[in-house]
Amino acid sequence: MKKSFFVFCCFLLCTATGFAQKYFTKNGTISFEAGTALEDIVATNKTAASVLDAATGQIEFAVLIKGFEFRRALMQEHFNENYMESSKYPRASFKGKITNIQSVSFQKPGTYPVTVKGTMEIHGVKKEMQTAGSLTISGTAVQATARFVVTISDYKIAIPRIVADKISKTATVVVRCNYSILK
Amino acid sequence: MKKAKRILLLLLVIALLGAGYAYYQYTRQPPDVKTEAAEIKTEAGELVAAFNNDEAAANKIYVEKIISVTGKIADIKIDPTGQATVFLESGDPMASVTCSFYDTEAAAVKNLATGRQVTIKGVCTGKLMDVVLNKCSIVP
């Protein structure tokens, strides 16, 4: 009974959206670099979740802050406890739209430049942003890549003066997601 | 004069100890989860249910802990870059357990198959859509 209702809901959902293709990933990679000449600071998160709607261009990302891995244990601890306060703000997210989605042909293999516009939420602070990226279509697989710069103070992240010359004022973020079709 | 020397020596020892400690802290590596024992042993269904029922409580119990999770493999993904991820069924159609492996474990993940029962050890980082485990390895 419960199962048939679920199937019915899925059917409704499909018909309502006109069988629009959606793509998802739960193992996207998001990394950032915020080092200076004095210190190289690199962290990678390999379990970012993302959903992409091919029809509307709607795109969303979410990561768990505690999932960022650093080479040094102390850096990871400072990042979580002092800067990102990850127990209080466990996630960071982005919700937005690919503004030129109509120029991407999901049936035709190739790499398409895209523009993404939306709201980033880090450390409990929301901010509008825009970046360039690309979508690579190959068969049923879709890969999204983007690279952009985030100003750390925009998100009310306080860096103590004692380490200020080791940590950059901005972080360069690299996104790489391999999507599969959402069934 | 002798006293001043002594104080100076004491200060030097303290400074050296401090520097040594700072150096130890600075170069300290993240724990190698592969070689450490799991603090908590659980099952995929139980783990997801714990987060669904009370996320704050589950965060306190599991997050940043090394845990081992047993479950049936729903899906396996290995990227061209060698990044391996295994998804465990939880009984909840909306959420599974995402296990992201050490890059060095990709070869071992290749021997797994969907539908098989497996025990995976890793560090829990919380719940996004799924409950997420990082730095995973297969428990033999």
Side-chain angles (χ1 to χ4, degrees), chain A residues 6-183:
Chain A
F6 181 66
V7 170
F8 175 67
C9 284
C10 286
F11 175 72
L12 263 187
L13 215 66
C14 285
T15 47
T17 54
F19 293 99
Q21 201 67 269
K22 281 188 178 166
Y23 295 86
F24 85 106
T25 182
K26 289 174 181 174
N27 58 333
T29 303
I30 296 182
S31 60
F32 70 84
E33 236 183 271
T36 61
L38 290 174
E39 184 81 84
D40 70 83
I41 302 170
V42 182
T44 307
N45 187 315
K46 296 189 280 191
T47 51
S50 177
V51 181
L52 162 66
D53 186 330
T56 61
Q58 208 81 31
I59 190 162
E60 293 188 13
F61 294 89
V63 278
L64 287 165
I65 300 302
K66 288 196 168 103
F68 280 96
E69 293 173 23
F70 290 72
R71 273 191 302 116
R72 293 200 176 102
L74 196 64
M75 270 184 198
Q76 192 162 332
E77 285 162 19
H78 286 170
F79 173 76
N80 279 297
E81 287 157 25
N82 305 344
Y83 308 149
M84 299 295 279
E85 301 176 86
S86 60
S87 293
K88 204 165 151 196
Y89 308 108
R91 302 176 184 92
S93 66
F94 174 84
K95 285 186 179 139
K97 229 174 172 172
I98 295 173
T99 54
N100 60 331
I101 194 73
Q102 66 288 343
S103 70
V104 180
S105 164
F106 283 84
Q107 278 72 47
K108 203 171 142 222
T111 298
Y112 302 87
V114 291
T115 303
V116 187
K117 217 172 156 179
T119 311
M120 180 80 92
E121 184 174 352
I122 304 173
H123 193 233
V125 180
K126 284 184 184 165
K127 207 174 152 26
E128 294 296 309
M129 66 159 282
Q130 185 177 327
T131 183
S134 74
L135 282 182
T136 301
I137 317 289
S138 48
T140 56
V142 173
Q143 187 186 58
T145 56
R147 185 189 187 90
F148 54 90
V149 173
V150 164
T151 303
I152 292 170
S153 60
D154 281 354
Y155 295 94
K156 296 197 169 73
I157 298 163
I159 308 291
R161 212 166 275 156
I162 192 160
V163 291
D165 54 348
K166 289 196 176 135
I167 302 175
S168 168
K169 304 276 175 283
T170 58
T172 304
V173 182
V174 177
V175 179
R176 190 174 48 87
C177 287
N178 288 307
Y179 293 89
S180 327
I181 290 171
L182 184 67
K183 281 162 205 144

